[in-house]
Amino acid sequence: MATTTAAQKDERMAQTGLITRLLRSPELGALAGAIVVWVFFAVVAPNAWFSLRGTATYLEVAASLGIIAVPVALLMIGGEFDLSVGSMVGLSGAIMAILASVMGMPLWVGALVALVVALFVGWLNGIMVVKTGLPSFIITLGSLFIIRGLTIGVTRLITGRTQIGSLDDMPGFTMMRYIFAVDIPVMGANVSISVLWWLLIGAVAAWVLLRTQVGNWIFGAGGAAQAARQVGVPVNRLKIALFMTTATAAWLLATIQVITVKSMDTLRGEQLEFQAIIAAVVGGNLLTGGYGSAIGAVLGALIIGMVRQGVVFAGVSADWFQVFMGGMLILAVLINNYIRKRAEAARR
Amino acid sequence: MSTNNIPRVEVRNISKYFGNVIALSDVSMAVRAGEVMCLLGDNGAGKSTLIKTLSGVHQQSEGQYFVEGEEVRFNSPRDALNRGIATVYQDLAMIPLMSISRNFFLGSEPTKGIGPLKRFDIAFANRVAHEEMAKMGIDIRDPSQPVGTLSGGERQSVAIARAVYFGAKTLILDEPTAALGVKQAGTVLRYIAQARARGLAVVFITHNPHHAYAVGDRFTILKRGRTFGTFTKEELSREEMVRMMSGADELDALTHELQEFEHTDQLKAEGKLSETEQQLSDKLG
C-alpha cells in the first residue's frame, strides 16, 4: 500500500519543469559566465585557446584556485569565512621545506607534519570562532597576518632566507611527485594531476553537500544557526570541521606547488583567500551563508583561471586581470541577489 | 471532546523565580488530548516562562509538572521531546533558503546505504514532507522548493507538520499568528483545529483574543505571573477575556485618557483654549 501511494505522490510532485529547476540552481550564473568567457577567448585568441596545450594550461591555473575555492565555498554555505587559507599555503610549504632541507627528513614526513599543523590551525580558527562568537571575518583576518608573519619570521630565523630551492634533491621527492605534481599526457598535451585533484574535490564536495546528512547540516547551520541547533544539528562541531577542511585544502595546494616548482617561498598563496572567495561568490554562493553550490565554486575557479590565462594568450597585459576580477565579483553578487529573490518569491 | 480524563500535560501550583523576580506564581493548568488550550496574556504576563517550563528550557522553582499523570522534571528540551512535547517557536521555525523537505528533516535526516555511501534519502524526504503536509490540508506541489516561497502561515504549518511527524503528542505553539496578516493567521488557526481533530493536545499561546476565541476550547489567562484560572468558552465572553488580559483598571485609565484627548481637541476647535494652552497643544499634537 505504501508503495502505491508513493508512486502516486511522486507523479504529482514531478510537475516542476526543468527550466524552473535550472533557474533555482545557484550555479546557473557561473555556468553562463563560464560559457561567455570561453567563447570570448575563443574569438580573441583562437589559436592558443583551441589547442589542447592551451586548455591544459588554463585548467591547471583554475585547478590551483579551485582546490581552495571549493572548501571555502562549503564553509561560506556553513555561514563562515576563512581568510587565512592563503597564509596556510605559505606555512604548509615552509614546514615541508624546512623539515626536509634543514632537518634532513624525507619530504613526505615534512608533508605529514605540515598536514597535522594545518589541521590544528583549522581547528584553532574554528574553536575561536564558535567560542568567542566573533565574526569569522575578524578571527581569520587576524590569523591571516599571524600565520604569514610567523612563517616569514621563523623561516628567516632558521634558514636566514625566505625561500628554499632545489627540493627535488630531497629524499622522497619522486614518490611525492607522482601523487601531487605528475603530468598526465592526454593526446599530446600534458595535463597536471592538480586538475584531477580539483575535479575530485569538487565532486566529493557536491556529493556531501547535496546527498548527505552533513550537507543538510551545512545548509542549516549557515541559513539559521539557532534554528539548526534547536533541531539537534551540532553546529559548532560542524563549523570547526569546515575550518579544518579549508586548512587541509590549503595544505594540499601547498604540497602540489612545492613539488611542482621544486621550491618554497614564504609569500606563496598571498591574496589567494580573496580569489577563493571571489570564485565561490561567482559560483553562486551567498556571502551570508545558507545557500550555494560546490559545482558553482568549481565553475567560479574555472572562470577566473580562464581569464587569468586568457589575457596572457590574448597578449593583453596581465595587469588587467585584477580589474576583471573585481568587476566580476560585483557583477556576480548582483546576479546572485536577483536569482535568490526569484527563488524565494517564485510563487504567485 | 476528550474521552481520556488524564491530562496530557498538567502543571499544579508552579512558581518560577529568576533571582528576585517572580516570573510565575502559583500557576495551574492542564491540557487533554483533542483539546486546544489557549494561553492568553499581555506582554510580560509570564506566557514565555510558562511555555519554557513546559518545553523543558526552564525548571519550575516550586510546584509539580505531570505528563500523562506521571510527575516529571525536565532538564532539557530534548527530555520534553522524548515525552512527545514539541514546541514550535514563532521566529525560529524555518530556514527560508532551504527546501521544504530539507527543512522538514533537518537534524533527523533519513539515510540509506552504508559506510561511506550512507546518504540523505531525498526521495523519501520529499515524499514524506508532501504526505504530511497533505494531511494538514496543504498541497505543496514541489517539496524541493525553498521554504521562502511559502507564506508565513504555511511555514508555521510545515513546522507543525514536522513536530507531529516526529512523534509529538502535545504541541506548544508560541504565538504562531503574531506576525501574520488576517488571512494567513486564518490558515494557521485552521491547522490548529486540524491538529486537534487528529487527537493532539495543543497549547496555543497568543495575545490576540480573537484568534484564541476562534479555536480555543479552554482559556487560561495570565497576568503579571498569576493566573485568573481556566475557563471554558461558555464561561467567558470575548469582552471579559480582553478585560482580564489587560486588567480592567488599566483599560478604564486608558478610556479616561482618550476622553481627555477628545476634550482638548474639542476645546481647540471651539477656540476656547488660552494662548499658552494653544501653544502647548500645538507642540504636542
Side-chain angles (χ1 to χ4, degrees):
Chain A
M1 182 222 134
T3 45
T4 47
T5 49
Q8 280 166 6
K9 300 290 184 197
D10 278 346
E11 272 172 23
R12 285 173 69 189
M13 281 191 291
Q15 286 175 351
T16 314
L18 185 67
I19 294 181
T20 319
R21 209 165 290 179
L22 256 179
L23 274 178
R24 213 187 277 153
S25 71
E27 60 271 357
L28 176 75
L31 184 62
I35 293 169
V36 169
V37 169
W38 191 89
V39 170
F40 177 80
F41 285 110
V43 173
V44 175
N47 288 340
W49 205 248
F50 283 114
S51 75
L52 273 172
R53 194 176 299 174
T55 306
T57 316
Y58 72 68
L59 283 181
E60 186 176 353
V61 175
S64 66
L65 177 58
I67 286 169
I68 302 285
V70 170
V72 163
L74 291 192
L75 182 65
M76 260 170 74
I77 296 168
E80 304 292 344
F81 281 109
D82 190 351
L83 297 179
S84 71
V85 281
S87 299
M88 265 316 300
V89 171
L91 176 65
S92 298
I95 291 173
M96 264 181 74
I98 290 172
L99 288 183
S101 70
V102 179
M103 316 272 179
M105 292 180 187
L107 270 173
W108 61 268
V109 175
L112 281 183
V113 174
L115 176 59
V116 172
V117 173
L119 286 169
F120 174 73
V121 173
W123 175 81
L124 205 60
N125 274 335
I127 206 105
M128 282 200 292
V129 168
V130 299
K131 290 293 172 203
T132 62
L134 288 174
S136 50
F137 186 91
I138 297 298
I139 298 279
T140 58
L141 186 62
S143 44
L144 182 163
F145 285 101
I146 295 170
I147 295 169
R148 183 70 74 189
L150 275 176
T151 306
I152 298 173
V154 172
T155 307
R156 211 195 296 273
L157 212 61
I158 296 176
T159 66
R161 292 171 297 160
T162 59
Q163 292 162 317
I164 299 171
S166 344
L167 289 175
D168 46 343
D169 299 339
M170 304 295 159
F173 178 82
T174 315
M175 185 197 80
M176 295 286 283
R177 202 176 78 85
Y178 276 107
I179 304 173
F180 296 107
V182 77
D183 282 338
I184 302 159
V186 180
M187 290 184 284
N190 287 324
V191 179
S192 164
I193 197 171
S194 62
V195 174
L196 287 187
W197 278 108
W198 168 44
L199 297 178
L200 179 72
I201 290 171
V204 170
W207 190 75
V208 167
L209 200 54
L210 296 176
R211 287 287 176 271
T212 70
Q213 188 172 34
V214 170
N216 211 36
W217 293 354
I218 294 175
F219 281 116
Q226 199 53 37
R229 272 193 199 100
Q230 291 256 340
V231 293
V233 174
V235 172
N236 287 358
R237 270 193 297 151
L238 182 74
K239 286 188 172 176
I240 292 169
L242 287 172
F243 275 107
M244 292 169 78
T245 311
T246 55
T248 305
W251 165 84
L252 175 62
L253 180 64
T255 311
I256 288 172
Q257 289 191 342
V258 162
I259 302 297
T260 307
V261 300
K262 308 175 181 75
S263 71
M264 180 284 293
D265 184 336
T266 50
L267 290 182
R268 205 157 277 157
E270 264 200 320
Q271 289 198 0
L272 187 66
E273 54 281 341
F274 296 117
Q275 291 185 27
I277 289 172
I278 291 173
V281 170
V282 166
N285 291 283
L286 218 57
L287 283 162
T288 43
Y291 186 76
S293 141
I295 303 289
V298 169
L299 291 170
L302 177 65
I303 291 175
I304 293 175
M306 283 197 293
V307 174
R308 166 160 262 179
Q309 202 52 42
V311 292
V312 177
F313 288 160
V316 181
S317 160
D319 302 341
W320 297 99
F321 168 68
Q322 298 205 10
V323 178
F324 164 82
M325 269 214 312
M328 188 83 196
L329 173 69
I330 293 169
L331 186 69
V333 173
L334 285 173
I335 294 174
N336 284 352
N337 280 350
Y338 174 73
I339 290 180
R340 184 174 46 122
K341 276 201 193 106
R342 279 189 62 123
E344 271 192 338
R347 247 186 62 173
R348 278 189 298 265
Chain B
M1 189 148 285
S2 67
T3 50
N4 186 355
N5 247 345
I6 301 169
R8 274 272 166 80
V9 165
E10 181 179 15
V11 290
R12 282 187 209 152
N13 310 105
I14 64 162
S15 301
K16 175 70 187 173
Y17 313 119
F18 295 104
N20 290 332
V21 181
I22 303 168
L24 286 177
S25 170
D26 203 22
V27 171
S28 300
M29 58 149 277
V31 58
R32 292 173 173 80
E35 177 183 77
V36 177
M37 149 71 79
C38 292
L39 196 57
L40 291 138
D42 204 357
N43 294 335
K47 297 189 304 265
S48 303
T49 310
L50 181 53
I51 62 155
K52 280 184 177 158
T53 308
L54 292 177
S55 61
V57 178
H58 297 322
Q59 284 81 48
Q60 70 270 28
S61 309
E62 285 164 21
Q64 292 169 295
Y65 184 178
F66 300 90
V67 174
E68 286 165 343
E70 187 185 325
E71 184 164 5
V72 292
R73 196 171 178 87
F74 294 148
N75 292 314
S76 75
R78 187 51 67 179
D79 290 350
L81 268 177
N82 291 341
R83 293 303 299 259
I85 300 170
T87 309
V88 176
Y89 292 97
Q90 173 197 341
D91 45 346
L92 294 172
M94 287 286 129
I95 300 171
L97 284 168
M98 286 172 79
S99 74
I100 296 167
S101 49
R102 280 179 176 272
N103 261 293
F104 198 97
F105 285 98
L106 183 62
S108 315
E109 291 82 358
T111 54
K112 61 180 177 187
I114 44 159
L117 286 177
K118 191 170 146 188
R119 59 202 183 273
F120 184 12
D121 190 348
I122 286 179
F124 176 83
N126 282 342
R127 198 177 70 228
V128 170
H130 185 271
E131 281 170 6
E132 291 301 309
M133 295 297 284
K135 280 184 200 163
M136 303 203 74
I138 308 179
D139 183 31
I140 42 169
R141 254 180 311 165
D142 179 10
S144 66
Q145 79 194 56
V147 158
T149 61
L150 298 177
S151 70
E154 288 169 328
R155 282 184 219 188
Q156 288 286 338
S157 68
V158 176
I160 295 171
R162 173 171 67 184
V164 173
Y165 177 76
F166 286 108
K169 289 189 276 182
T170 304
L171 268 181
I172 301 174
L173 306 174
D174 180 19
E175 307 231 8
T177 57
L180 302 180
V182 176
K183 204 176 155 194
Q184 294 188 7
T187 318
V188 173
L189 293 179
R190 213 165 57 235
Y191 304 141
I192 293 174
Q194 198 101 36
R196 168 178 57 197
R198 290 168 69 184
L200 274 88
V202 181
V203 180
F204 172 31
I205 292 93
T206 180
H207 58 240
N208 186 326
H210 305 288
H211 293 166
Y213 217 73
V215 293
D217 298 305
R218 294 193 301 143
F219 309 91
T220 298
I221 299 174
L222 286 178
K223 179 155 189 269
R224 293 171 168 270
R226 291 176 176 279
T227 168
F228 282 102
T230 301
F231 306 89
T232 62
K233 217 168 196 167
E234 294 78 41
E235 290 168 348
L236 191 70
S237 76
R238 199 177 306 195
E239 288 67 36
E240 281 171 315
M241 192 191 287
V242 176
R243 269 179 89 82
M244 279 193 206
M245 275 173 69
S246 51
D249 307 346
E250 281 156 50
L251 257 195
D252 286 347
L254 182 66
T255 317
H256 186 69
E257 209 172 309
L258 289 172
Q259 278 169 353
E260 194 69 21
F261 277 128
E262 248 167 58
H263 184 61
T264 316
D265 285 347
Q266 208 172 353
L267 284 178
K268 199 165 127 189
E270 291 167 9
K272 280 182 187 166
L273 291 176
S274 71
E275 204 171 307
T276 34
E277 276 175 331
Q278 185 72 53
Q279 281 170 353
L280 195 67
S281 150
D282 286 347
K283 226 179 251 175
L284 290 172

